[in-house]
Amino acid sequence: MNKLYAVGIGPGDYEKMTLEAEKVLSSCDVIVGYTVYVDLVREHFPGKEFLTTPMRREEERCRMAFEEAAKGKTTAMICSGDAGVYGMAGLLLEMGKDYPDCQVEVIPGVTAALSGAAVLGAPLIHDFAVISLSDLLTPWELIKKRLACAAEGDFSICIYNPSSRKRSDYLRQACDVLLAYRSPDTVCGLVRNIGREGQSFRILTLRELRDAQTDMFTTVFVGNSATRETAGRMVTPRGYHLEKQEGR
């Protein structure tokens, strides 16, 4: 069968791409993706055919990839982070019914929740939820409900797509939802440009997060009730010390 890979390339830095992803891209004839993501990998895979589309042309991009694979070309659709976390893997698998001679294989990558957590320290050691504030495909009221449920359940929360030009106040609104369940002193973190030039991070409180400036290149972390700032790092303890004290 013709082969189409959905490949997660990680946060952007070539060294943070998995060995499997690198091997697949090296073996492909065609690499398809959003323009920004293709530009991140182009220099590392010379001689490949690259096809791109702008943002919000996801279906067109997937169909383009299928059509290349249907010609007998081994093709990869690349996604930032992991292809199965807000990536193209799901859409490719859904559209695959129209291309019965093409087999889709998903190659995992390091999603921003994990790469950003590593920059901050260890904020996701215990149970956590990942929630996107983008309401392009999900109603805002449902997003707020998910935030409330995660906050009430005392999950650490990783927030993708916290704000954009059209959604400049969404993080503020999200913080208002969280503040109904969490202390304003809850430890939080911001990481910008994860794994790319200009990477930076900041640890702050939930109260401060409400007024923080973020963009689509920022990933937000909200700690649970046990999360602490330790030596300038964000740490959510799992309870190892408590287990030892209680002799479990």
Side-chain angles (χ1 to χ4, degrees):
M1 294 184 69
N2 299 315
K3 204 62 175 283
L4 173 56
Y5 294 95
V7 182
I9 62 170
D13 187 24
Y14 178 72
E15 283 72 21
K16 291 181 172 60
M17 186 184 300
T18 68
L19 292 174
E20 183 181 23
E22 196 280 337
K23 182 178 179 180
V24 166
L25 294 181
S26 294
S27 68
C28 284
D29 302 305
V30 183
I31 297 175
V32 183
Y34 169 45
T35 307
V36 173
Y37 303 154
V38 167
D39 287 344
L40 290 172
V41 305
R42 190 186 297 271
E43 67 175 299
H44 300 293
F45 300 97
K48 305 298 180 182
E49 181 181 355
F50 293 96
L51 299 174
T52 66
T53 67
M55 188 179 290
R56 300 183 67 174
R57 302 267 287 275
E58 288 81 6
E59 288 192 40
E60 177 186 339
R61 196 182 312 147
C62 289
R63 200 162 299 283
M64 180 187 298
F66 271 114
E67 289 173 357
E68 292 302 309
K71 297 174 185 176
K73 299 179 181 179
T74 302
T75 303
M77 165 71 75
I78 61 171
C79 308
S80 178
D82 180 85
V85 180
Y86 305 115
M88 293 290 99
L91 183 56
L92 285 172
L93 290 167
E94 287 181 290
M95 294 176 65
K97 65 182 184 298
D98 298 329
Y99 299 88
D101 293 331
C102 295
Q103 181 183 26
V104 176
E105 182 175 344
V106 181
I107 306 299
V110 181
T111 188
L114 305 181
S115 53
V119 174
L120 286 168
L124 305 180
I125 287 293
H126 218 309
D127 300 333
F128 66 92
V130 177
I131 300 173
S132 170
L133 298 193
S134 172
D135 60 352
L136 183 62
L137 301 174
T138 306
W140 178 236
E141 290 304 314
L142 179 55
I143 294 171
K144 290 197 293 184
K145 180 179 179 181
R146 289 172 175 171
L147 287 165
C149 289
E152 185 176 16
D154 199 28
F155 286 86
S156 294
I157 304 170
C158 178
I159 297 176
Y160 285 38
N161 307 313
S163 61
S164 66
R165 284 177 294 180
K166 293 182 178 180
R167 298 182 294 103
S168 59
D169 67 333
Y170 273 35
L171 181 59
R172 177 187 290 265
Q173 291 187 55
C175 288
D176 287 339
V177 172
L178 299 176
L179 283 164
Y181 303 91
R182 298 283 176 89
S183 163
D185 294 322
T186 299
V187 177
C188 299
L190 302 173
V191 187
R192 193 171 190 279
N193 291 327
I194 302 170
R196 304 179 191 178
E197 185 177 354
Q199 175 180 288
S200 62
F201 75 93
R202 177 187 175 193
I203 296 176
L204 66 172
T205 65
L206 181 56
R207 181 192 297 110
E208 294 170 327
L209 179 64
R210 186 177 182 274
D211 297 315
Q213 297 297 311
T214 60
D215 56 24
M216 292 289 284
F217 296 101
T218 307
T219 304
V220 175
F221 295 79
V222 179
N224 67 17
S225 59
T227 303
R228 298 290 181 265
E229 181 178 355
T230 303
R233 310 301 292 279
M234 184 177 177
V235 179
T236 300
R238 194 178 177 195
Y240 293 110
H241 293 305
L242 180 62
E243 179 180 349
K244 185 176 181 180
Q245 290 169 5
E246 296 182 358
R248 294 179 183 175

